[in-house]
Amino acid sequence: MQEITTTDPSAVQQLTTDQLAERVVATRETLRERMGCLLSDEEFDQGPDVLTNLYAPAAEKIRAQGLLPRPELVRGQSARGW
């Protein structure tokens, strides 16, 4: 997968559905290979949305400093790309 680099802090909001899906697949493969994670895709899907739980407080802290604009919320979208 090609790495996406940018200086635009809102670039994550600009990812296509396909790009988000590719990131999910790559992240799961990395967890399985490097950390010995044996979870199936179904088990990953049933678990908590860990990235959102990590990114949300960090993004809020940056927004409070005025360094990141408020996101445009899209109903039904999550860090998992759904």
Side-chain angles (χ1 to χ4, degrees), residues 3-71:
E3 182 178 347
I4 299 171
T5 58
T6 182
T7 57
D8 179 1
S10 66
V12 173
Q13 297 172 3
Q14 298 171 8
L15 295 177
T16 66
T17 302
D18 290 341
Q19 289 171 319
L20 288 171
E22 287 176 14
R23 284 189 175 190
V24 168
V25 169
T27 300
R28 290 175 180 185
E29 287 176 6
T30 300
L31 285 169
R32 289 178 179 127
E33 292 172 10
R34 296 188 182 171
M35 301 183 80
C37 178
L38 302 176
L39 295 177
S40 68
D41 283 342
E42 293 78 21
E43 290 169 319
F44 272 117
D45 291 341
Q46 292 172 3
D49 194 345
V50 176
L51 289 179
T52 297
N53 294 340
L54 292 174
Y55 291 153
E60 197 55 44
K61 183 176 180 179
I62 291 172
R63 281 189 201 98
Q65 297 172 4
L67 301 174
L68 187 66
R70 291 265 172 224

